[in-house]
Amino acid sequence: IDFRFVDTKVLDGNLSPILEHPTLRTVGFLDKKHYNFKSNMLKLVIERKFDGEYKTKVYKGEFMTYRYDYD
């Protein structure tokens, strides 16, 4: 569902495989000039790939977290 690679450098700059992943909904990384996607653009492309919400709020007493729903 969520993939973060903040302190990792993708040497060839190709982030396209992220778009092919069937369940990734959010990605976090630092923009590098040789990357073929900037973080805000990749976020938009992933959001368009899926329709509908994928998080359900779950409560336990005063605490709240999320449950991730995917097919």
Side-chain angles (χ1 to χ4, degrees):
I1 296 278
D2 181 63
F3 179 55
R4 308 268 164 197
F5 57 104
V6 176
D7 290 329
T8 302
K9 184 189 289 185
V10 178
L11 294 179
D12 68 359
N14 183 10
L15 303 181
S16 298
I18 292 170
L19 298 175
E20 298 167 11
H21 194 282
T23 61
L24 276 182
R25 302 290 180 106
T26 60
V27 177
F29 60 94
L30 298 175
D31 290 333
K32 307 283 185 190
K33 35 183 180 177
H34 72 285
Y35 285 178
N36 62 342
F37 285 98
K38 299 298 179 201
S39 59
N40 59 349
M41 182 56 71
L42 195 60
K43 178 184 176 190
L44 288 173
V45 173
I46 290 174
E47 285 175 355
R48 290 183 186 145
K49 183 178 167 183
F50 298 98
D51 49 329
E53 185 61 42
Y54 64 95
K55 294 189 288 187
T56 302
K57 290 181 180 178
V58 178
Y59 296 92
K60 183 167 184 177
E62 63 183 282
F63 301 102
M64 188 272 301
T65 188
Y66 293 101
R67 178 185 73 220
Y68 294 105
D69 303 316
Y70 60 94
D71 297 329

